[in-house]
Amino acid sequence: MSDAATAAANTLRAKQKPLKDKYRAEPSSALVTLSSSGNLDPTSTSLTCSLSTGAAIRKVAGLHKAAGGEGFDASGELCSGDMLLESLVACFGVTVRAVATSLGIPLQGGTIIVEGDLDFRGTMGVKDPEGNAVPVGFKKIRLIVRLEVDEEHQSKAEKLIELSERYCVVLQTLKGVEVETKLGHVGQARPDARSENGTSENPKEESANGRDVPANEDVIRLN
């Protein structure tokens, strides 16, 4: 490990050590609720949901302050957990507007709020007082929908939410999907060894499963 890498690792450990010590002594202090919200603008002519983040268009992910990060106000870096909740707000908000349009329900406005409870002991490898590993990830996510609908269409609100839940891609994904992780390349960056049409120029580079990969020993596939 280079001197710079060693220094960076030591800096991170120094930031995280007091947090880990605190989480061991006070487990409840590791419980943090992240939240995100978005507005359904009735003046918009497109089916959109405006996120209330105040962040720049270009987003950079970083560690949450509870994991040793600097925080958005100091570094401009967003916690990926916040970004996950934002994606749910955005997807559900757009889906609500699309379904409302299909059902003929004029929305006069609305707000989508998502809150997620996260125990940072899990991602930081801090065990509970009994010595058991703490689960990594959100313990619970709450989706709160506030809609401004005229009296004539209020009776359709529950159906609107039911259908929006059914057709919201991010919500249905969070309810359970297998995520497959593969290590595609280890080594220095190099030009993609593919032709313009996206296929390998060398038939011998075709893999057994039909996908072409550069014939290079730096490429590692995990099955």
Side-chain angles (χ1 to χ4, degrees), residues 44-48 93-107 160 164:
S44 174
T45 57
S46 58
L47 304 179
T48 59
V94 171
T95 304
V96 164
R97 296 202 66 170
V99 174
T101 299
S102 298
L103 296 179
I105 302 175
L107 295 180
L160 170 59
S164 297

Side-chain angles (χ1 to χ4, degrees), residues 153-172:
H153 296 89
Q154 288 180 6
S155 60
K156 298 181 181 179
E158 290 189 6
K159 187 65 175 180
L160 170 59
I161 298 304
E162 176 188 338
L163 293 176
S164 297
E165 286 183 324
R166 182 186 305 174
Y167 297 117
C168 178
V169 173
V170 175
L171 175 58
Q172 292 303 323

Side-chain angles (χ1 to χ4, degrees), residues 20 24 120-127:
K20 290 184 177 182
R24 292 188 183 98
F120 276 89
R121 291 179 299 172
T123 191
M124 296 181 70
V126 177
K127 295 183 178 180

